[in-house]
Amino acid sequence: MDDALKQHRDQIDAIDEQLLKLVNARAQHARDIGSLKGEGPIYRPEREAQVLRRLLALNQGPLSAEAVTAIFRGVMSNCRALEKQLSVAFLGPAGTYSEEAANKQFGGVSAPVLCNTIDDVFRMVESGKVDYGVVPVENSTEGAVGRTLDLLMSTQLRICGEVTLPIHHNLLTNTATREQVTTVYAHAQSLAQCHAWLNQHLPNAQRQAVSSNAEGARLAASEAGAAAIASRRAAELFTLNVLAESIEDDPKNTTRFLVLATHDVAPSGQDKTSLLLATRNIPGAIVDLLAPLALHGVSMSKLESRPSRNGLWEYVFFVDVEGHCQDAALASALQEIGQRASLVKVLGSYPLAVA
Amino acid sequence: MDDALKQHRDQIDAIDEQLLKLVNARAQHARDIGSLKGEGPIYRPEREAQVLRRLLALNQGPLSAEAVTAIFRGVMSNCRALEKQLSVAFLGPAGTYSEEAANKQFGGVSAPVLCNTIDDVFRMVESGKVDYGVVPVENSTEGAVGRTLDLLMSTQLRICGEVTLPIHHNLLTNTATREQVTTVYAHAQSLAQCHAWLNQHLPNAQRQAVSSNAEGARLAASEAGAAAIASRRAAELFTLNVLAESIEDDPKNTTRFLVLATHDVAPSGQDKTSLLLATRNIPGAIVDLLAPLALHGVSMSKLESRPSRNGLWEYVFFVDVEGHCQDAALASALQEIGQRASLVKVLGSYPLAVA
């Protein structure tokens, strides 16, 4: 073996020996913390977010931010597993983005429970059959996930975390060359998100909106001259070639998931709070309702109206604001909002998603 | 925050800072090695096996062997990814044991390619469309995977690794209690493997052999009073409850997979060599053929006969022996076998599976 190679390998061996000692020492501390906590939750999203943020700030490479968070999520997951195997419910079947989100957040899920519906995920957590649930809440292709919002209205569960996954669109086809593509199938939103790319590279192909990108991929797999805009995963599932990667006009597309639990999360320093508000349907009422946020300097990152299901109010509003509900500014704003609104429900305060 | 908790967390923070420096230093060495190697393969199964074995020998806990290998496979995978994202083909759909095996071996696969058939996995590696392939070769339920053996006869690919996964059988049913179970579906082999447990716990239930455990799970999901013996994954896929876990009589059941590549692997110190032998179909010929192994002190771990497909010989034999084909003893034995056999093909020498 080459001398230079041997030297590097010897140094890696020395590093690994130190790494091994350190991860075991870390695991022992995690264990000691577990016995201090007694019956409290093993999984502390606010603490894990703090650990990851700190490491990302310290990281000087060559490992990327994604590599650092992946490695440390794995370390934390294995330390946690010494105390308890967390069970996590999410939408199946295997291979969904929900599974990817759950694996990302928990650094691998040792006891996954794949559910058929979002309702089932809520029920599994509510009944205590699993420790956590992961549900999609905003899909960059199809917008807000209505069922999740509806279930959040009536559940007693708390949002204890959010996960974002980057979404890439790809041109999938079994056609040999781009010139032979005559039709492009995709969800209308995906077609729109790849508008510029399609104009430039496939100006003559017909764009055909279908119910989902998966349906588009299915069609592309069976029709000559057809292509689909969909995920890499869809290419695998329907055995299509990836003719062009990441063709979305805005490369910052993400899909967002919520982590559900039966308990609240302490502040992590960079948090978000999700609120459910209801008011009488008087034009301008919502503006009035939200005024205390501006007054107390609380930024709003999302406002989404949704028909109420219970007949008491016509509309409810899902509002995401910066900060934790224990923060003084947000707490004051919430108190004032509470005096004006028919309903204020804090769905949860949780750490902002870490890369 | 509790003082003791804060102390532990401060120490974890200090450990994490060291861990971060070390994994980055490790990544830099891996990068330097990459530039030394030039065009050679990034993934070195023999080196990774050596690293893991050494760490397992050093490990004093509290982290388990599985946790240590999982953490370090993640670290090595992220170091490797700095140089190249490895593409790996395996049998889909998502959620198969093949996917689990690929993720285990590579510490997570950044560019997976899910194939519909074992043939496709071979073709993807042979055509250079992916770097590696993972195929099942021995299934604890259904025995040898014939198609893999047949394809190994004609391929130019080399076996560069093996992966073993522990297999657990579970009793899956939507029946509320064990007493209400009247029929148990499973592959004949799985029924046999849970014989003692079934005798003890379900003496009156009818045992019904079906084509696969997945088929049994499908039936159990639709029939009242029915149960299936299958994996946890099947419980998730078919939404069945796990009424009893790990009911196999022998808890050491494993399924074995092979990793396929276009290149050979250097010795790791604890290796296995897979051979394909053919001889004229004279009774006793195989015993005669294998005599050099015993003579040179080479242990055989597997011998499996298989009808030849090409008409030149009636049978071929798949033989696994201890050691690397570069080892003196095995090299001598192979030379002598070569003088007696109609065909000797070294399918590959590769590191023994690490936990």
Side-chain angles (χ1 to χ4, degrees):
Chain A
M1 187 166 50
D2 192 88
D3 242 20
L5 177 60
K6 189 175 180 315
Q7 275 187 13
H8 284 298
R9 287 194 168 173
D10 286 348
Q11 293 197 44
I12 285 179
D13 286 349
I15 288 172
D16 282 350
E17 217 168 314
Q18 286 180 272
L19 283 173
L20 180 67
K21 275 189 199 139
L22 288 166
V23 290
N24 270 312
R26 194 191 197 289
Q28 188 55 53
H29 283 295
R31 214 176 217 189
D32 293 344
I33 290 176
S35 51
L36 288 179
K37 280 188 208 162
E39 287 301 294
I42 297 300
Y43 174 57
R44 297 284 186 165
E46 79 283 12
R47 165 70 179 158
E48 296 202 356
Q50 286 168 341
V51 166
L52 294 175
R53 281 180 204 140
R54 184 170 162 273
L55 290 167
L56 289 181
L58 289 169
N59 185 38
Q60 304 197 321
L63 289 171
S64 66
E66 288 69 32
V68 167
T69 52
I71 289 171
F72 278 87
R73 282 191 172 111
V75 168
M76 290 191 286
S77 166
N78 279 290
C79 289
R80 244 192 273 123
L82 277 180
E83 299 180 67
K84 184 171 190 290
Q85 303 253 323
L86 294 184
S87 55
V88 181
F90 49 83
L91 269 186
T96 57
Y97 283 122
S98 291
E99 183 178 42
E100 197 176 329
N103 279 323
K104 180 176 175 185
Q105 180 75 358
F106 292 93
V109 175
S110 46
V113 175
L114 283 73
C115 298
N116 286 326
T117 63
I118 294 177
D119 295 56
D120 286 346
V121 177
F122 274 78
R123 263 197 294 271
M124 292 296 283
V125 191
E126 285 164 349
S127 65
K129 284 194 183 159
V130 299
D131 300 306
Y132 297 93
V134 174
V135 291
V137 67
E138 276 170 70
N139 187 304
S140 70
T141 307
E142 283 146 60
V145 180
R147 193 62 197 152
T148 296
L149 297 182
D150 289 346
L151 290 164
L152 283 172
M153 288 186 208
S154 54
T155 190
Q156 296 301 314
L157 295 178
R158 319 292 293 186
I159 303 171
C160 76
E162 62 168 357
V163 193
T164 55
L165 289 184
I167 298 297
H168 297 296
H169 291 314
N170 307 282
L171 188 74
L172 312 183
T173 182
N174 285 331
T175 304
T177 66
R178 203 186 286 158
E179 286 65 39
Q180 291 168 284
V181 172
T182 53
T183 311
V184 179
Y185 291 108
H187 188 275
Q189 196 99 24
S190 301
L191 286 171
Q193 288 170 2
C194 302
H195 185 74
W197 191 93
L198 291 171
N199 280 351
Q200 192 185 341
H201 297 97
L202 283 172
N204 300 316
Q206 197 201 333
R207 301 176 200 178
Q208 180 79 50
V210 290
S211 62
S212 71
N213 288 345
E215 173 63 11
R218 198 186 62 74
L219 290 168
S222 61
E223 283 182 29
I229 296 174
S231 64
R232 272 203 157 270
R233 188 60 99 167
E236 293 154 5
L237 292 174
F238 295 97
T239 327
L240 287 159
N241 291 319
V242 179
L243 208 61
E245 279 185 281
S246 300
I247 63 170
E248 65 274 6
D249 301 334
D250 175 6
K252 275 176 278 175
N253 262 347
T254 55
T255 289
R256 185 166 164 254
F257 298 81
L258 299 177
V259 186
L260 303 173
T262 52
H263 59 84
D264 284 317
V265 178
S268 77
Q270 292 177 49
D271 301 286
K272 189 186 266 190
T273 297
S274 292
L275 305 170
L276 177 67
L277 306 179
T279 183
R280 285 158 301 146
N281 188 26
I282 299 169
I286 185 69
V287 175
D288 187 44
L289 194 64
L290 297 173
L293 291 174
L295 200 71
H296 290 276
V298 174
S299 302
M300 195 169 69
S301 58
K302 196 182 97 172
L303 170 63
E304 179 129 12
S305 68
R306 182 104 191 130
S308 160
R309 295 287 174 119
N310 67 6
L312 288 178
W313 314 286
E314 211 165 337
Y315 279 94
V316 294
F317 297 89
F318 288 89
V319 181
D320 285 352
V321 297
E322 275 181 23
H324 194 283
C325 61
Q326 293 177 13
D327 297 348
L330 181 52
S332 306
L334 285 177
Q335 199 183 11
E336 291 170 32
I337 293 172
Q339 289 158 6
R340 307 172 187 208
S342 315
L343 169 83
V344 181
K345 183 178 168 190
V346 176
L347 299 170
S349 288
Y350 48 90
L352 285 182
V354 182
Chain B
M1 186 165 53
D2 192 270
D3 242 22
L5 177 59
K6 188 175 180 319
Q7 275 187 14
H8 283 299
R9 288 194 169 174
D10 287 348
Q11 293 197 45
I12 285 179
D13 286 348
I15 287 172
D16 282 350
E17 216 168 314
Q18 287 181 271
L19 283 173
L20 180 67
K21 275 188 199 142
L22 289 166
V23 290
N24 270 313
R26 193 191 198 290
Q28 189 54 54
H29 283 296
R31 213 176 217 192
D32 293 344
I33 290 175
S35 50
L36 288 177
K37 279 187 205 163
E39 288 302 292
I42 297 300
Y43 174 58
R44 296 284 187 166
E46 79 282 13
R47 166 69 180 160
E48 296 202 356
Q50 286 168 340
V51 166
L52 294 174
R53 281 180 204 139
R54 183 169 163 275
L55 290 167
L56 289 180
L58 290 171
N59 185 38
Q60 303 196 321
L63 289 170
S64 66
E66 287 70 30
V68 168
T69 52
I71 288 171
F72 278 89
R73 282 192 172 110
V75 169
M76 290 191 286
S77 166
N78 279 290
C79 289
R80 242 192 274 123
L82 276 181
E83 300 181 67
K84 184 170 189 292
Q85 303 253 324
L86 293 185
S87 55
V88 181
F90 48 83
L91 268 187
T96 58
Y97 282 122
S98 290
E99 183 178 42
E100 196 177 328
N103 279 323
K104 180 176 174 183
Q105 180 75 1
F106 292 92
V109 175
S110 46
V113 175
L114 283 73
C115 298
N116 286 326
T117 64
I118 294 177
D119 295 56
D120 286 345
V121 177
F122 274 78
R123 264 197 293 268
M124 291 296 284
V125 191
E126 285 165 348
S127 64
K129 285 194 184 158
V130 299
D131 299 306
Y132 297 93
V134 174
V135 291
V137 65
E138 274 170 72
N139 187 304
S140 70
T141 308
E142 283 145 59
V145 179
R147 192 62 196 152
T148 295
L149 297 182
D150 288 346
L151 290 165
L152 283 172
M153 286 185 208
S154 54
T155 190
Q156 297 301 313
L157 295 178
R158 320 292 293 185
I159 303 171
C160 75
E162 62 168 356
V163 192
T164 55
L165 290 184
I167 298 297
H168 297 296
H169 291 314
N170 307 282
L171 189 73
L172 311 184
T173 182
N174 285 331
T175 305
T177 67
R178 202 186 286 156
E179 287 65 38
Q180 291 167 283
V181 172
T182 54
T183 310
V184 179
Y185 291 107
H187 188 274
Q189 197 101 22
S190 300
L191 286 171
Q193 287 170 2
C194 302
H195 186 74
W197 191 93
L198 292 171
N199 281 351
Q200 193 185 340
H201 297 97
L202 284 171
N204 301 317
Q206 197 200 332
R207 300 175 201 178
Q208 181 78 48
V210 289
S211 62
S212 72
N213 288 345
E215 173 63 10
R218 198 186 62 75
L219 290 168
S222 59
E223 284 183 29
I229 296 173
S231 64
R232 271 202 157 272
R233 188 59 101 166
E236 292 153 7
L237 292 175
F238 296 96
T239 328
L240 288 158
N241 291 320
V242 179
L243 208 63
E245 280 186 281
S246 299
I247 62 170
E248 65 275 7
D249 300 335
D250 175 5
K252 274 177 280 176
N253 262 347
T254 55
T255 288
R256 184 166 165 257
F257 298 82
L258 299 176
V259 185
L260 303 173
T262 52
H263 59 85
D264 284 317
V265 177
S268 78
Q270 291 178 50
D271 300 287
K272 189 186 264 191
T273 296
S274 291
L275 305 170
L276 176 68
L277 305 178
T279 182
R280 284 158 303 148
N281 188 26
I282 299 166
I286 185 67
V287 175
D288 187 42
L289 194 63
L290 296 173
L293 290 175
L295 200 70
H296 291 276
V298 174
S299 301
M300 195 168 70
S301 58
K302 195 182 98 171
L303 170 61
E304 179 130 12
S305 67
R306 183 104 192 130
S308 160
R309 295 284 173 123
N310 67 7
L312 288 178
W313 314 287
E314 211 164 338
Y315 280 92
V316 294
F317 297 88
F318 288 89
V319 182
D320 285 351
V321 297
E322 275 178 25
H324 194 282
C325 62
Q326 293 178 12
D327 296 349
L330 180 53
S332 306
L334 283 177
Q335 197 183 14
E336 290 171 33
I337 292 172
Q339 290 159 5
R340 306 171 188 208
S342 314
L343 169 83
V344 181
K345 181 179 168 190
V346 176
L347 299 171
S349 288
Y350 49 90
L352 285 181
V354 182

